[in-house]
Structure formats: structure tokens, C-alpha cells
């Protein structure tokens, strides 16, 4: 019998075909695995960004916002009028857009909005450096000479001012991108430090010399005599806060209601939109702020039918879908502003929407719900997360 010396050509071809077939399978499996890994990493990165944003928002909301330990949810919040220090403001530009109506199912609708603004003061507690906000100011600034207790941890020959008070705003701006036909936004956090007592500046006037673009991280109002630096009492006045127009018609409520919005900051030589604002989250589809009232059982926007609305002759509030807001307001009376009649209705100085007093409902916020929805271009998916914070 003749002994075989090797494989036949047909056997080699079959073996080669099998090897190629196995390599194709392995290559496809590797490609699918790599794509799955990319998608999982993209989802993980998006979740990490959402968690980071929510941690920052939650930290700000958990802090004190007014004098002492006064909280929005306190049963006697309005007993002695508005807060004497600090403020809390929620702005809703229009009703929520209902994307998925599930009224015949579990009653939960998918909603979206891009014109909610969260704006408030934060007062940190503690004596460590981490318990203080910081702001860069010009060398030789009067703020650097305030000393203890107005500014602890002030380093010699430094241009960093420290304070435990700051006003903070969260708002959206279009980022120029879209997800299909949906406009995408960037979520920004704007922080401006307030001094504990502005009477320690400018011989008691609170005014210092300087250019506006040198104090972008400090809460101030530009005037003809310089920069009027804000303290927690000053910030109870709406016109003195970030993004408000202090010269709008010279009145407390302008007919066009512009002071209610978070206007683009007008600073000399600065980008009017986003200078000194921190980009918190890119590619945002919706930033939604809803409230749980002491008289309610669900989180609602300020257009909800269960929310009592105080309206006056201001045309801004006569429109059913016009902007609405919650504001803790003020009772300040000085040479520039007079809110001493804040509780009276039918006057230009009355609170336009929500207020206490004999002529209006007592609106008390128990908790806030912050809902963020973002878009991931890599996975072509949207992700949503919500935060509920007791107030």
C-alpha cells in the first residue's frame, strides 16, 4: 500500500476556507464587542457628567439661602415679611412642552423646557477654606482690605477675595447644535460673590472704583460713581442681582417685564452672555425646575392649574402663557428702591405673582425637583435624571 506524503489540494483549500471563515467570525465579534464597549463608555461618560452636574446643583440647594437658618419650607416663612438677607427666585418663561401625553396610562407625561432659570443666594457655613467662595479681583482692590470677619483666608499680596455669600444662577444657552429637529443647549452656572456688609466699603456707600470687567466674579451694580458692591441685604432687591437691568424704566416693575428674565450680563469689554460662567453640562435637551407646594401633592410648574396666581394690571401677567416666577422679594427702602409696600396689591411695587400678606396667597415651597435631559451624539440617545431636594 502506498503511504500519503501530505494533504491534497482540495483538503488545503477546505482548511483555508474554514480558517478564513473563523477569522471573519472572530473579526465581526471583535468589531461588535468594540462598538459595544464604545457605546457603554459613552453612556458611562454621559452618566458621570449628569451625576457631577446634579452634585453641584444639590450642594447649592442644600446650603442656606437667607439669614440664620431660615428655609423656604418653614411654616412661618412669610410671618415677618420677606427675608432680610438673600433671595430665591424661579423663572418659567412658558408652560412645559408635553412631548408624550400619557394621560390615559399612568398619568405621567414626558415634558421638556429650555427657559427655566434657577437663581438664588448661597450662604456657606464653617471655618475651613473649603467653606468659602473665591473670586479674582484687581490687586489693591478695597475688597482685599476688608479683613476678618468680612473676608477670612485672605492671603497677603493675593488677588483672591473670599466670602461665604454668593449669588448663583443656573440657565441654558443654545450651543449651536441640534438632535434632529430639537435644539441643544448648554447648562451654565454663574457665581458672583457678595460681601457680608457693603457699608464697610466706600465710606459707607458700598461703592468702589474699578472697571466692570475687573469684577466679573463679584456681585455688583454699575453706577456713574463706580461699582456698587452687593451684600446679602442688597440682593433681596431684584434689580441688584445678576442679569437684572437696574435702569429699566427706573421702576420696580417695567411694563415689558424685562427685569424678570436673566438678561445677558453687560460688562465693559466682556462677552455679554457667558463671561465668567461655568459650563456645567453640554448638549442639554431640557432643564426643568418644578415645585412641591405646601398645599399640593405633586411637583408642578408655575403654570399648573393648582398654583394660585396673583395678577395685576401689568400686561406681562395678564397673558395666560406669559412668563411667571416665584421670588422671595424684599421690603428694602432706601434712596434708590422702595419696596416697603411689598404686601399691597394694585400698586406697581406689589409682588407680581406669588406673595404673602393680607391681599395675596401664601406660597410656600416644600421641595424642588430638578430634571435634566441630555443628548449623546455618539450613541444617538437621550438620558434623563431627576433630583428631588427638600427646601
Amino acid at each position: 500500500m502506498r503511504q500519503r506524503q501530505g494533504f491534497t489540494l482540495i483538503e488545503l483549500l477546505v482548511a483555508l476556507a474554514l480558517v478564513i471563515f473563523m477569522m471573519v467570525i472572530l473579526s465581526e465579534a471583535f468589531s461588535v464587542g468594540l462598538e459595544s464597549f464604545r457605546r457603554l463608555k459613552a453612556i458611562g461618560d454621559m452618566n458621570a457628567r449628569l451625576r457631577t452636574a446634579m452634585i453641584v446643583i444639590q450642594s447649592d440647594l442644600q446650603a442656606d439661602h437667607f439669614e440664620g437658618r431660615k428655609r423656604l419650607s418653614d411654616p412661618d416663612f412669610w410671618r415677618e415679611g420677606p427675608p432680610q438677607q438673600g433671595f430665591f427666585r424661579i423663572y418659567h418663561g412658558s408652560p412645559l412642552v408635553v412631548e408624550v401625553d400619557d394621560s390615559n396610562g399612568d398619568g405621567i407625561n414626558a415634558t421638556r423646557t429650555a427657559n427655566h432659570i434657577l437663581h438664588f443666594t448661597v450662604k456657606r457655613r464653617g471655618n475651613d477654606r473649603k467653606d468659602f467662595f473665591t473670586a479674582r479681583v484687581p490687586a489693591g482692590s478695597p475688597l482685599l482690605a476688608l479683613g476678618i470677619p468680612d473676608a477670612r483666608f485672605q492671603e497677603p499680596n493675593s488677588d483672591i477675595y473670599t466670602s461665604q455669600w454668593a449669588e448663583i444662577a443656573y440657565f441654558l444657552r443654545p450651543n449651536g447644535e441640534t438632535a434632529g429637529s430639537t435644539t441643544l443647549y448648554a447648562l451654565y452656572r454663574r457665581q458672583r460673590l457678595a460681601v457680608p456688609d457693603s457699608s464697610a466699603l466706600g465710606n459707607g456707600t458700598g461703592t468702589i472704583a474699578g472697571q466692570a470687567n475687573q469684577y466679573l466674579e463679584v456681585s455688583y451694580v454699575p453706577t456713574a460713581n463706580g461699582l456698587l458692591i452687593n451684600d446679602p441685604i442688597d440682593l433681596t432687591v431684584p434689580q441688584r442681582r445678576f442679569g437684572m437691568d437696574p435702569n429699566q424704566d427706573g421702576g420696580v416693575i417695567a411694563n415689558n417685564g424685562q427685569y424678570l428674565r436673566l438678561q445677558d450680563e453687560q460688562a465693559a469689554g466682556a462677552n455679554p452672555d457667558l463671561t465668567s460662567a461655568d459650563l456645567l453640562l453640554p448638549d442639554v435637551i431640557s432643564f426643568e425646575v418644578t415645585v412641591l407646594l405646601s398645599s399640593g401633592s405633586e411637583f408642578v410648574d408655575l403654570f399648573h392649574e393648582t398654583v394660585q396666581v396673583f395678577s395685576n394690571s401689568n400686561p406681562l401677567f395678564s397673558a395666560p402663557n406669559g412668563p411667571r416666577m416665584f421670588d422671595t422679594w424684599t421690603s428694602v427702602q432706601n434712596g434708590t428702591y422702595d419696596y416697603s409696600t411689598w404686601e399691597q396689591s394694585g400698586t406697581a411695587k406689589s409682588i407680581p405673582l406669588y406673595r404673602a400678606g393680607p391681599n395675596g396667597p401664601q406660597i410656600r415651597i416644600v421641595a424642588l425637583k430638578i430634571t435634566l435631559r441630555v443628548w449623546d451624539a455618539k450613541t444617538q440617545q437621550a438620558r434623563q435624571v431627576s433630583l428631588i431636594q427638600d427646601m
Side-chain angles (χ1 to χ4, degrees):
M1 183 176 180
R2 184 179 177 182
Q3 186 177 3
R4 293 182 60 181
Q5 299 297 318
F7 296 104
T8 65
L9 179 60
I10 293 176
E11 289 173 333
L12 289 174
L13 290 175
V14 171
L16 181 61
L18 290 174
V19 170
I20 293 174
F21 182 67
M22 293 175 63
M23 289 180 64
V24 170
I25 294 176
L26 291 173
S27 176
E28 184 65 23
F30 180 77
S31 178
V32 172
L34 189 61
E35 180 61 27
S36 298
F37 176 77
R38 289 195 187 101
R39 291 176 64 87
L40 288 174
K41 184 178 184 303
I43 293 174
D45 291 342
M46 182 167 57
N47 288 337
R49 291 194 299 268
L50 279 169
R51 285 194 300 270
T52 300
M54 282 302 191
I55 289 173
V56 174
I57 295 173
Q58 185 177 39
S59 176
D60 286 336
L61 291 177
Q62 287 177 336
D64 294 331
H65 308 294
F66 315 105
E67 69 274 10
R69 295 187 178 272
K70 192 170 188 175
R71 306 290 293 179
L72 282 173
S73 57
D74 291 345
D76 59 349
F77 181 84
W78 295 104
R79 180 173 296 174
E80 298 178 357
Q84 299 302 302
Q85 295 182 331
F87 72 95
F88 203 98
R89 188 172 74 97
I90 304 169
Y91 175 84
H92 289 179
S94 60
L96 295 174
V97 176
V98 179
E99 295 183 318
V100 178
D101 188 351
D102 194 29
S103 56
N104 295 325
D106 58 10
I108 299 176
N109 298 328
T111 56
R112 173 172 55 87
T113 184
N115 57 17
H116 283 189
I117 296 170
L118 197 55
H119 191 190
F120 51 87
T121 46
V122 167
K123 179 188 178 183
R124 287 182 174 175
R125 292 184 177 274
N127 293 309
D128 295 332
R129 179 179 289 275
K130 63 180 177 61
D131 300 318
F132 286 73
F133 296 105
T134 61
R136 191 173 299 277
V137 298
S141 169
L143 298 182
L144 301 175
L146 285 175
I148 297 175
D150 292 323
R152 277 168 278 180
F153 298 108
Q154 212 69 63
E155 297 181 359
N157 303 318
S158 170
D159 60 352
I160 301 298
Y161 171 69
T162 64
S163 175
Q164 290 186 302
W165 279 96
E167 61 165 326
I168 293 171
Y170 289 92
F171 56 93
L172 296 180
R173 287 288 188 272
N175 66 359
E177 303 293 334
T178 60
S181 59
T182 302
T183 301
L184 296 179
Y185 300 83
L187 176 64
Y188 288 93
R189 178 184 182 273
R190 185 68 167 90
Q191 172 183 298
R192 303 203 312 173
L193 273 62
V195 299
D197 183 3
S198 61
S199 65
L201 297 168
N203 295 323
T205 65
T207 303
I208 65 174
Q211 299 296 321
N213 60 358
Q214 296 177 313
Y215 288 89
L216 293 176
E217 299 176 5
V218 176
S219 183
Y220 68 88
V221 176
T223 69
N225 298 322
L227 303 180
L228 191 59
I229 304 299
N230 288 322
D231 62 23
I233 297 176
D234 299 325
L235 285 172
T236 62
V237 179
Q239 288 92 332
R240 297 191 65 158
R241 306 168 188 165
F242 162 65
M244 306 299 191
D245 188 346
N247 301 312
Q248 186 69 39
D249 292 350
V252 173
I253 295 179
N255 288 334
N256 59 9
Q258 289 297 310
Y259 91 93
L260 292 176
R261 297 166 173 80
L262 185 61
Q263 297 296 343
D264 298 339
E265 184 180 32
Q266 300 299 320
N271 183 318
D273 248 347
L274 306 174
T275 300
S276 296
D278 296 322
L279 175 60
L280 196 60
L281 202 60
D283 297 334
V284 177
I285 297 175
S286 178
F287 172 58
E288 182 179 316
V289 182
T290 51
V291 300
L292 177 63
L293 302 178
S294 58
S295 58
S297 59
E298 60 177 331
F299 286 91
V300 298
D301 69 339
L302 301 183
F303 292 87
H304 196 271
E305 59 185 7
T306 61
V307 179
Q308 300 181 65
V309 176
F310 169 77
S311 62
N312 56 21
S313 58
N314 190 323
L316 176 67
F317 303 102
S318 61
N321 293 330
R324 296 186 180 183
M325 70 152 187
F326 169 87
D327 196 322
T328 51
W329 217 240
T330 184
S331 57
V332 164
Q333 180 181 12
N334 55 33
T336 305
Y337 306 107
D338 182 5
Y339 285 84
S340 58
T341 57
W342 67 278
E343 81 287 354
Q344 296 180 13
S345 64
T347 69
K349 293 183 175 61
S350 58
I351 292 180
L353 220 65
Y354 307 113
R355 62 198 189 88
N359 298 309
Q362 291 190 353
I363 303 298
R364 186 163 56 87
I365 293 179
V366 176
L368 290 183
K369 181 179 180 181
I370 312 297
T371 303
L372 272 171
R373 193 186 315 165
V374 299
W375 176 257
D376 182 65
K378 294 181 180 178
T379 60
Q380 295 291 293
Q381 291 181 350
R383 201 88 172 168
Q384 179 171 300
V385 64
S386 295
L387 163 70
I388 295 177
Q389 179 60 51
D390 293 337
M391 298 306 296

